[in-house]
Amino acid sequence: MLVSWNWLSRYVDLTLSHDELVDRLSLSGLNHEGSETVSLDGGKTEVVIDLEVTSNRGDCLGHIGVAREIAVLTEQPLKIPTIEYQETGKKVSDRLSVRNEFESACTRYTARVIEGVKVGDSPQWMQVALQSIGIGIVNNVVDVTNYVMMECGQPLHAFDANKIGGDTIVVRPGQTSSDGKTKEMLEAIDHRSYELTQDSCVIADAQSALAIGGVMGGASSEVTDTTTDIVIEAADFVPLSVRRTARRLKLHSPSSFRFERRVDPVGIDWASRRACQLITEIAGGHVLSGVIDTADAVVARPPIVLRLSQLERLLGIKIDAETAARILVGLGCQAKPGDEIQCVPPTWRHDLTREADLIEEVARIHGYDKIPEDAPIPVAPSSKREFDSAMQRLRGVMTAAGYSEAMTPSLVVEKLDSSLSPWTDRPALQTRTAMLEGSKILRRSLIPSLLQSRAANWASSSMQADLFEIAHVYLPAAAGKTGDEALPAETYHVAMIAGGDFFTSKGVIETLLNRLGVAGELAVESVERDGFASGGVVALSLQRAGAADLALGYLGILDEKLVNSWKLAGPVVTAELPADVLVEHSHLVPQQQEVSAFPSIKRDLNLVLPEAVRWDGLSGVIQSAADERLADLTYQETYRNEKADGKDRKRVLFTMELQSLTETLSGDDADGIVESVVKKCEDELGAVLMR
């Protein structure tokens, strides 16, 4: 932000030297980038200061905002110009009408009309002011709108009123043809044509587009030497809408820069009246009575309580109530001294929303340099949430397994979300305004985002793009629900995607459950879900003694067509689990377990089983037959020999480790256990022991 020394002096007495002033501004948050003496026409010079204004301080993108900072730092009065001008008996509504059909992109639109102006050169003092900070000179009307913008930070635009078709202004989205192929175009005042999409906020008349809202005006309605009547636009465009349009068009302007950082909703009318005052003084004309305003009055902001005890606790020094109140009032707040200061922030300070913000304001104006390095600041002990501890352990397991953590947007395009949704088939929630281009859908699963990320990594030659993510998903409520159950669910999930085989991913999940101390046996059940290979996805659950099974999520192989659509090679395995369920049933503190002092015995068994028997069914039968003497059961391999064993039969090799807590098992004891296991497998599973 470039500010002129002489321009600043119109609003505050500059009692400090240049070096002292920029140092104080830097210490208060407006970093000094540099200063220079600018030579202007007529041999005049101006000292121009370049200040770095952070994105939360849009109020300092005008000379009055910077002057306000200087005034409170130096305890000088702030001199705001008094606005006076005469209005005619003719009403503005008799000359112009305004419709706002795009309130999600433009929350407020105001218009005033000035008739009978004489367009010409601006006075020398205004040209000097604008030229000193690099603003080009156009004519007295346009120069006034630029001057007011650089004065108070509110962008304005002047239309030639006689070039507004139907004497109507419409705030609307960009239009496309009925077939969706032809988009609306606008020639801007830079005499380049720009394509307007449905996401673009367009200022139009009854026939065509006049300007790109918050970014730039159009050539068809610009003010020229022949203009006699003008419309002064002062509006509040939504930052996200302006930023998205400016980036898409690669068209950034001083106006878009300020709208992206938010403007003062109350200051809109001040800027409009200020422009009318200066134009009538410089270019003549008369202002029609009243103003067209598409929005209701600005709602008063709620007060914030500032406790002096908190001020001292956070800063480590005492600042009396009078000093704190003086600083806040100087910054535009409504505040009175007391042990608790009831403070109402000004409308131009969108960043002041809580007590800590007020404490920061007092500290930076009082002076960070006045806080000694050894100031005692009390520190209270705290501990991690159980969720954070569990997620830290989860990250350890996943990274040890070779996965990299991903962070993907919660908003996705409809095509991505609809490709796979194992948790619900209810329509996804949508935002009114796309946070990213085309992305209005609140995702119902993390898997599509991870698939997209894996494909992007693969395209960049990162072959081992095994990823996991811990993030929110947004599940719409089921039909027919009422009360709290009718509300959508925002829950944490953990998802993973890899190029390995199914059983490797299942082993990672088992390891994860073990590290989190989640009790129970992992069970699987075949299900069918869109986006997964037929017969290649299972619902995961935990079987717990004395309790109902706990639903845990999904694990499966993605459909080949879906994988091919992302130009990925080989099968892709993915899984998704609810993180809150994992945390709820985790036991992060190690529990004491009795360890046997007696040696163990291992036995390898090779059973011929029907093809339909799964490992979880076999392991359950083995565990029930061996009782507590089964210390460990390890799967080895599966082998098929149709000639020797018959059709739909397989051989499963596994190892049992047998051990007692009370005695040493003999060979006969082990043989007896093996016989019991084989007998039960024969009876319940139709197994045959291979000898």
Side-chain angles (χ1 to χ4, degrees), residues 98-110 171-172 201-203 213-214 233-239 241-242 259 294-295:
V98 177
R99 296 198 314 273
N100 188 354
E101 299 176 354
F102 203 4
E103 292 185 359
S104 61
C106 177
T107 57
R108 187 181 213 99
Y109 192 95
T110 71
V171 184
R172 59 168 174 78
C201 183
V202 174
I203 312 302
E233 167 197 284
D236 189 0
F237 296 102
V238 174
S241 173
V242 174
F259 281 122
T294 65

Side-chain angles (χ1 to χ4, degrees), residues 173-476:
Q175 297 177 343
T176 58
S177 59
S178 57
D179 59 4
K181 295 181 179 179
T182 305
K183 291 185 172 58
E184 190 173 17
M185 302 295 293
L186 172 73
E187 182 186 355
I189 56 176
D190 63 358
H191 299 289
R192 295 173 59 189
S193 294
Y194 297 94
E195 184 181 85
L196 307 176
T197 68
Q198 292 182 341
D199 291 329
S200 304
C201 183
V202 174
I203 312 302
D205 60 15
Q207 287 85 36
S208 59
L210 299 176
I212 306 170
V215 181
M216 189 171 287
S220 64
S221 59
E222 66 180 326
V223 175
T224 64
D225 293 343
T226 61
T227 299
T228 57
D229 303 337
I230 59 173
V231 174
I232 300 297
E233 167 197 284
D236 189 0
F237 296 102
V238 174
L240 182 60
S241 173
V242 174
R243 185 181 302 118
R244 184 173 57 242
T245 300
R247 287 183 178 179
R248 183 180 63 81
L249 298 177
K250 296 181 176 60
L251 181 62
H252 299 278
S253 64
S255 294
S256 67
F257 186 82
R258 284 158 177 78
F259 281 122
E260 287 177 20
R261 286 151 182 80
R262 303 184 69 179
V263 297
D264 176 12
V266 172
I268 291 173
D269 187 66
W270 187 93
S272 176
R273 291 185 295 111
R274 175 67 166 159
C276 290
Q277 176 196 26
L278 292 174
I279 289 174
T280 53
E281 289 177 357
I282 295 171
H286 46 272
V287 183
L288 271 58
S289 175
V291 59
I292 297 176
D293 190 343
T294 65
D296 298 328
V298 178
V299 178
R301 297 182 64 176
I304 304 171
V305 176
L306 172 58
R307 297 163 291 177
L308 294 182
S309 58
Q310 279 293 93
L311 192 65
E312 181 179 355
R313 187 184 74 82
L314 290 181
L315 300 182
I317 61 172
K318 286 186 177 181
I319 299 177
D320 59 79
E322 288 73 17
T323 300
R326 177 189 62 79
I327 290 172
L328 294 173
V329 170
L331 291 172
C333 301
Q334 300 174 26
K336 292 183 179 179
D339 292 339
E340 289 189 352
I341 300 176
Q342 296 280 339
C343 178
V344 179
T347 54
W348 59 81
R349 290 300 301 273
H350 303 282
D351 57 323
L352 301 184
T353 60
R354 53 184 181 162
E355 185 181 36
D357 298 330
L358 300 181
I359 293 173
E360 181 184 10
E361 292 301 293
V362 173
R364 71 181 185 84
I365 298 299
H366 183 69
Y368 291 126
D369 55 322
K370 295 179 182 178
I371 302 175
E373 294 180 3
D374 58 349
I377 299 177
V379 178
S382 62
S383 59
K384 283 185 178 180
R385 297 180 303 163
E386 185 179 8
F387 181 89
D388 296 326
S389 297
M391 292 304 102
Q392 182 179 12
R393 190 168 295 185
L394 183 148
R395 287 183 173 93
V397 172
M398 299 305 296
T399 53
Y403 289 77
S404 299
E405 185 170 5
M407 296 179 66
T408 59
S410 296
L411 287 166
V412 297
V413 297
E414 183 177 1
K415 181 180 179 181
L416 186 64
D417 175 77
S418 61
S419 65
L420 189 148
S421 176
W423 300 96
T424 179
D425 56 1
R426 298 281 297 166
L429 303 171
Q430 297 189 32
T431 60
R432 293 180 61 183
T433 304
M435 303 296 288
L436 301 170
E437 187 171 357
S439 301
K440 292 186 177 182
I441 304 297
L442 286 164
R443 60 184 175 187
R444 298 173 293 172
S445 171
L446 303 180
I447 295 175
S449 297
L450 288 181
L451 177 62
Q452 184 181 37
S453 295
R454 181 174 174 83
N457 278 273
W458 183 273
S460 301
S461 300
S462 178
M463 303 304 181
Q464 299 300 324
D466 295 346
L467 305 171
F468 78 97
E469 182 174 15
I470 306 166
H472 280 118
V473 298
Y474 307 87
L475 303 178

Side-chain angles (χ1 to χ4, degrees), residues 139-157:
N139 55 53
N140 49 11
V141 172
V142 175
D143 291 349
V144 165
T145 61
N146 287 332
Y147 181 87
V148 174
M149 176 178 67
M150 301 310 300
E151 180 178 50
C152 66
Q154 170 65 47
L156 302 171
H157 186 68

